[in-house]
Amino acid sequence: MQRVNAEYANRVTKVLGNAIGSLKNCSAGDGNQGPPPFDTSSLVNELESLRDEISDTLSLTLVDDESLRSDIRKFECERFTKNRELVKLRAKLRDMREEREERRVELESELSELKAAFEEKKAALALATEQERKRENKLSELEKQKEAFEKEWNALKEKRDRVCKEYEDQRHRYGDDESKLQANLSSIKMDIQKLSCDHDMTVSIKRIDIQSEQAQLEQQKRRRCELEEHFRRVDMNNVMKMREEEKLRRVCELEEQAMALLAEGAIGLQKLWRGMKERELVAKMKSKKKKKDKKGGKKKKS
């Protein structure tokens, strides 16, 4: 384009120079032929000013063309860089989406497993609670039995005291019945000891059962702590998932900004292209005008 403009400027300058020289020769005239048919000095001045204006216009057009070319090259370099960055961002976004989808599938599977385990533990805990309630009912019954036994024991003790007192009162009068009363007293003592041993054995068995139940409750408590720790980790995973979604949103915003920059660059390129076309059209119109002026000058000369 620059070479074509230079050649065009040289040709136009040459043609205008030839026309100006011819007009100067005509204005000088020949001594034998007499004065010229009309005064061409004003026309020569007009052509010279037109030549100067055309030269200035072509030089400015060349300078503008150079600046436009440099701007286009610069925009092309920037567009190539932005396109490369956009490709990288799209690849990164695709990788992040794939990772997020895999992580979501894994979390959903883990969550379903945890829900199933939680339901099982909940059912087991309800069963253990029911058993504990039954054991408490049994303990309450045992307490009632113990109170009843104590009442019987007190009654028997009072009876023994009363019998002893009666024995002391009647010992002098009932000497023959002393052996019988002693036998009855010994039998009563044996029954009391037997009942006491049975009660102690029952209490020890119940104590062992209570200790075993307490051990089971401790084990269930430890298991519940493990479940709480596991759910805490699940909550942490949910927080990480939200952070990844926030990063993905930021990447989408960067992609939108890159698209906006590309759109602005395209608009600038269209403006540059329209400017070049308008300048070419103006140059063509000026060249046509010059040709018409040249033809009009030749007709006047003839």
Side-chain angles (χ1 to χ4, degrees):
M1 184 68 183
Q2 185 177 3
R3 184 173 58 82
V4 172
N5 289 331
E7 291 178 356
Y8 175 73
N10 292 327
R11 287 199 300 269
V12 170
T13 305
K14 187 177 180 180
V15 170
L16 289 174
N18 294 329
I20 291 168
S22 299
L23 289 172
K24 285 181 179 180
N25 293 327
C26 291
S27 63
D30 193 356
N32 298 323
Q33 293 178 358
F38 62 91
D39 189 8
T40 60
S41 60
S42 61
L43 183 60
V44 170
N45 294 327
E46 291 288 335
L47 289 174
E48 287 178 351
S49 62
L50 180 61
R51 182 186 62 184
D52 296 334
E53 289 178 1
I54 290 171
S55 299
D56 294 336
T57 303
L58 290 174
S59 62
L60 292 174
T61 303
L62 292 174
V63 172
D64 292 338
D65 187 41
E66 285 295 328
S67 64
L68 287 173
R69 285 180 176 277
S70 63
D71 292 338
I72 290 170
R73 285 194 297 271
K74 183 178 180 181
F75 177 76
E76 289 292 335
C77 294
E78 292 179 354
R79 186 180 66 177
F80 178 74
T81 306
K82 295 296 183 180
N83 287 332
R84 186 168 57 188
E85 292 177 356
L86 181 60
V87 170
K88 290 180 180 179
L89 287 173
R90 285 178 177 174
K92 186 176 180 180
L93 178 61
R94 185 173 61 254
D95 295 336
M96 290 179 70
R97 284 178 178 173
E98 292 176 356
E99 291 177 359
R100 187 185 68 177
E101 186 65 23
E102 292 176 358
R103 184 62 180 168
R104 185 180 64 79
V105 173
E106 291 177 359
L107 289 174
E108 287 180 354
S109 63
E110 290 179 1
L111 184 60
S112 61
E113 293 176 359
L114 288 173
K115 285 182 178 179
F118 178 73
E119 292 296 332
E120 293 177 358
K121 296 300 178 182
K122 187 177 180 181
L125 185 61
L127 182 60
T129 306
E130 184 65 23
Q131 292 178 357
E132 182 66 22
R133 187 177 61 78
K134 290 180 179 179
R135 283 193 292 272
E136 289 178 355
N137 293 330
K138 289 181 180 179
L139 286 174
S140 63
E141 291 177 0
L142 287 174
E143 290 292 336
K144 291 179 181 179
Q145 291 178 3
K146 183 178 178 181
E147 291 176 358
F149 177 75
E150 288 178 353
K151 289 180 181 180
E152 291 178 0
W153 171 259
N154 293 326
L156 289 172
K157 190 175 180 180
E158 291 175 357
K159 186 178 180 181
R160 185 188 66 178
D161 294 336
R162 187 174 61 253
V163 169
C164 289
K165 187 176 181 180
E166 289 177 356
Y167 175 74
E168 290 293 334
D169 293 337
Q170 294 178 1
R171 185 178 59 176
H172 300 286
R173 293 180 297 172
Y174 301 100
D176 296 335
D177 297 334
E178 185 178 357
S179 58
K180 294 180 180 180
L181 290 174
Q182 289 179 355
N184 290 329
L185 184 61
S186 62
S187 64
I188 290 170
K189 287 181 179 180
M190 289 177 65
D191 291 336
I192 291 170
Q193 290 177 356
K194 186 177 180 180
L195 287 173
S196 179
C197 292
D198 292 338
H199 178 70
D200 293 336
M201 187 179 293
T202 304
V203 170
S204 63
I205 291 170
K206 295 300 180 181
R207 187 179 294 110
I208 292 169
D209 292 337
I210 289 170
Q211 290 177 356
S212 64
E213 294 296 332
Q214 288 178 354
Q216 290 180 0
L217 287 175
E218 290 293 331
Q219 185 177 2
Q220 291 177 0
K221 185 177 179 181
R222 288 195 299 270
R223 184 58 181 168
R224 186 184 65 186
C225 293
E226 292 176 358
L227 288 173
E228 288 178 355
E229 180 66 20
H230 189 69
F231 286 130
R232 186 179 65 80
R233 291 179 181 175
V234 170
D235 294 334
M236 290 175 66
N237 290 330
N238 291 329
V239 172
M240 292 173 66
K241 181 179 178 182
M242 292 175 67
R243 290 177 180 173
E244 291 177 356
E245 290 178 353
E246 182 66 21
K247 290 180 180 179
L248 182 60
R249 185 181 64 77
R250 291 179 181 175
V251 170
C252 292
E253 290 178 356
L254 290 174
E255 185 179 2
E256 291 177 357
Q257 292 177 2
M259 293 299 293
L261 288 174
L262 288 175
E264 291 178 359
I267 292 169
L269 184 60
Q270 289 177 359
K271 290 180 179 179
L272 292 173
W273 179 256
R274 285 197 298 269
M276 290 176 63
K277 291 294 183 181
E278 292 294 332
R279 290 187 182 91
E280 290 178 358
L281 182 61
V282 170
K284 289 180 180 180
M285 292 173 67
K286 287 182 178 180
S287 63
K288 290 180 179 180
K289 185 177 179 181
K290 290 175 184 178
K291 289 180 180 180
K292 288 181 179 180
D293 293 337
K294 186 177 178 181
K295 290 179 180 179
K298 287 182 179 180
K299 289 180 179 180
K300 289 179 182 180
K301 183 179 178 181
S302 60

